[in-house]
Amino acid sequence: MKLSSIEIYRKQIGVFHATLEDLLLAIDPTFFLEGRSGWVMGIGEIFVFHGASLSNIREASPSNALPKIHSEVERGTPLYLISAPFEPHSPLKISIPEFAITGSDNQDTVAVVAHCRQDSDFNYRRQQALLDSLEQLQIGAMDRLNYPPLVEDLHRLDSIAWSDRFDRAAEAIQNGTIDKVVLSLTTTATKTPAYKKGKAMLRLRKSLPTSHLFATDSYIGASPELLVDLKNSVAISKPLAGTRETQRRGELSSSTKDLREHDIVVQSISAGLLSHTNKVKVLAKELFDAGPISHIATEIQALDLSPELGLLDLLGSIAPTPAIAGYPSDEAIELIKSLEGERGLFGGFVGFMDDTLDGEAYLAIRSVRDLGSDLLFQAGVGVISSSEKDQEFHEIEHKIHAVHHPLHESLALTHE
Ligand SMILES: C=C(O[C@@H]1C=C(C(=O)O)C=C[C@H]1O)C(=O)O
């Protein structure tokens, strides 16, 4: 059966009063993403499309391979959930959940939508079970306990591996193969018996309130970086680069090295968007705080896009950006692969799209991967000709601590 001949039915099966905190403590979602316009929680999967990679989206949009939708839900609500690995040749995953719960920060009403493949296929028993558990939430089975640490101390970052990687990058920069490359390191911390995914997500959300909480496959994270928000033929991207502890954020505005790293990113994204419209606006640089660390940020807007364009078409033209890969892109990706192997979801993206293929996507960073008894932490930094090995190593430490600390501290998590 050709994918495009699958028909998906979706209908709203309930509206409840519940907070995101309650839901995350009660439900272990298959997918979660809190975007600028609201959040979506996916439970189960009734359709998974693994076909296209970012590289072949550049040539042909996968949109015509997506199912036909029969909807009892208003347009503009998330339908397709996306997770894409860093490697542009690896397939990305587009799925439709069995159930989607949606809501936004400024209201405590959540809507529950069910999807199925044929209009007679709705699984009413599973629907009832989910609705019953949401009813219970309303009654207020809330977990107000003080939480002990969810993870142990972090294992040390490998400074020898860093030194080798940095030297290889410096060599490639010196011989003119690349201008910028983003190198990363990983380390682990063991989970404590108190660890639960929902609790970990709530802690990240509380500590990194300007970031976008996500969960997919074995990853959770809170991304500070908007790759693309596409709505009504207008796209917005807000790349970051340059990192300081928040107390030293002022240094970023006058650091030629960080400003240059950032310009490489802004120029590359602008060029990608210019392939779709000649109306691209680059706004003024600003400083952006992501919990304990700050970055340089620039909003880029692309106007008057063709209504035919979908979120994935735009991602195909800009990702992986030099904020996570480097410049020139192919050479940087090649070097990263030889030094780090495959990154998987780290450095890829998570996103959602509605049935008009508008949607939002965020860079998959500030994340942890669940390895079973341990969590794997990973963070990267941009290296250019004026970068210093030790300073970049400390930047990686700061980024990893921004995610580890909230999971490690002893916290009284109350619902204000
Ligand atoms: C690669 C990461 O972050 C990216 C790299 C940055 C940098 O080079 O300073 C800053 C923000 C992000 O664009 C990460 O958090 O792992």
Side-chain angles (χ1 to χ4, degrees):
M1 182 161 60
K2 274 182 60 201
L3 284 175
S4 49
S5 66
I6 293 176
E7 304 207 335
I8 301 285
Y9 294 82
R10 60 194 317 231
K11 62 171 186 176
Q12 182 156 311
I13 57 168
V15 174
F16 290 84
H17 284 288
T19 62
L20 182 56
E21 283 85 354
D22 289 334
L23 286 166
L24 285 174
L25 290 175
I27 291 173
D28 181 3
T30 320
F31 180 98
F32 178 84
L33 176 59
E34 184 166 23
R36 290 151 57 100
S37 59
W39 51 260
V40 56
M41 179 180 274
I43 301 164
E45 292 172 337
I46 60 139
F47 168 84
V48 182
F49 176 58
H50 262 299
S53 67
L54 264 193
S55 309
N56 53 41
I57 287 171
R58 282 185 202 123
E59 281 118 50
S61 166
S63 314
N64 46 13
L66 294 174
K68 274 200 209 130
I69 311 298
H70 300 262
S71 192
E72 291 177 26
V73 181
E74 63 184 278
R75 292 183 94 96
T77 56
L79 167 66
Y80 300 107
L81 309 178
I82 310 164
S83 55
F86 169 73
E87 288 73 31
H89 291 283
S90 302
L92 44 85
K93 175 176 167 186
I94 303 172
S95 66
I96 295 181
E98 185 180 6
F99 300 105
I101 306 181
T102 54
S104 68
D105 207 17
N106 50 20
Q107 63 190 47
D108 62 1
T109 326
V110 304
V112 189
V113 166
H115 297 105
C116 78
R117 278 166 181 261
Q118 285 182 347
D119 67 353
S120 57
D121 263 8
F122 283 103
N123 186 337
Y124 290 102
R125 225 186 254 186
R126 280 180 50 82
Q127 280 185 29
Q128 205 46 56
L130 177 65
L131 297 181
D132 286 349
S133 63
L134 293 172
E135 289 283 1
Q136 310 254 315
L137 275 184
Q138 255 182 293
I139 298 163
M142 238 200 270
D143 187 346
R144 290 172 186 271
L145 298 176
N146 288 336
Y147 296 146
L150 303 181
V151 295
E152 311 278 0
D153 289 339
L154 204 56
H155 292 114
R156 260 177 197 287
L157 278 172
D158 186 344
S159 56
I160 298 175
W162 176 248
S163 180
D164 289 348
R165 286 177 193 185
F166 186 93
D167 291 347
R168 283 277 304 280
E171 210 176 283
I173 291 168
Q174 205 154 30
N175 70 29
T177 328
I178 49 173
D179 275 349
K180 173 179 177 181
V181 61
V182 181
L183 297 180
S184 77
L185 284 177
T186 60
T187 185
T188 56
T190 303
K191 291 181 195 167
T192 67
Y195 184 85
K196 251 190 88 186
K197 183 164 121 186
K199 289 183 185 177
M201 289 174 70
L202 284 185
R203 284 175 171 233
L204 292 182
R205 186 169 188 263
K206 198 173 165 111
S207 304
L208 304 170
T210 56
S211 295
H212 299 272
L213 187 68
F214 66 89
T216 179
D217 302 312
S218 53
Y219 290 81
I220 62 169
S223 171
E225 191 152 345
L226 172 68
L227 274 178
V228 186
D229 177 356
L230 171 63
K231 281 190 195 90
N232 303 320
S233 302
V234 174
I236 294 174
S237 180
K238 198 164 180 185
L240 310 174
T243 304
R244 287 291 185 286
E245 292 160 275
T246 300
Q247 310 87 283
R248 294 170 51 209
R249 71 203 288 275
E251 291 174 17
L252 286 168
S253 321
S254 56
S255 159
T256 6
K257 180 202 87 105
D258 292 294
L259 292 167
R260 175 143 186 277
E261 271 184 54
H262 187 62
D263 284 341
I264 293 175
V265 187
V266 171
Q267 275 172 25
S268 164
I269 294 177
S270 306
L273 294 173
L274 276 166
S275 64
H276 299 288
T277 170
N278 54 14
K279 287 208 185 140
V280 172
K281 282 208 275 187
V282 177
L283 307 194
K285 287 187 184 64
E286 50 186 282
L287 294 182
F288 175 86
D289 298 331
I293 48 184
S294 305
H295 304 291
I296 309 168
T298 298
E299 180 167 318
I300 305 168
Q301 301 174 345
L303 314 176
D304 288 352
L305 293 163
S306 152
E308 302 293 301
L309 274 182
L311 182 74
L312 291 171
D313 302 306
L314 295 174
L315 289 161
S317 314
I318 67 166
T321 77
I324 194 66
Y327 189 83
S329 184
D330 291 345
E331 287 76 1
I333 292 169
E334 201 49 46
L335 180 63
I336 291 168
K337 196 170 178 195
S338 73
L339 295 174
E340 298 180 12
E342 302 251 311
R343 282 180 171 174
L345 185 74
F346 174 78
F349 56 85
V350 285
F352 52 69
M353 285 190 303
D354 64 24
D355 47 4
T356 69
L357 309 183
D358 279 2
E360 301 175 27
Y362 297 86
L363 187 64
I365 53 172
R366 312 293 149 85
S367 59
V368 294
R369 181 173 182 187
D370 194 328
L371 300 178
S373 50
D374 287 353
L375 294 183
L376 182 79
F377 294 75
Q378 184 160 10
V381 281
V383 177
I384 60 169
S385 58
S386 49
S387 297
E388 283 172 32
K389 196 188 279 186
D390 292 347
Q391 193 191 331
E392 301 299 338
F393 184 75
H394 291 311
E395 275 193 27
I396 294 186
E397 283 184 321
H398 291 316
K399 286 177 182 157
I400 288 187
H401 284 148
V403 177
H404 177 261
H405 180 72
L407 305 181
H408 181 61
E409 68 184 334
S410 229
L411 190 72
L413 191 65
T414 51
H415 299 259
E416 293 93 312

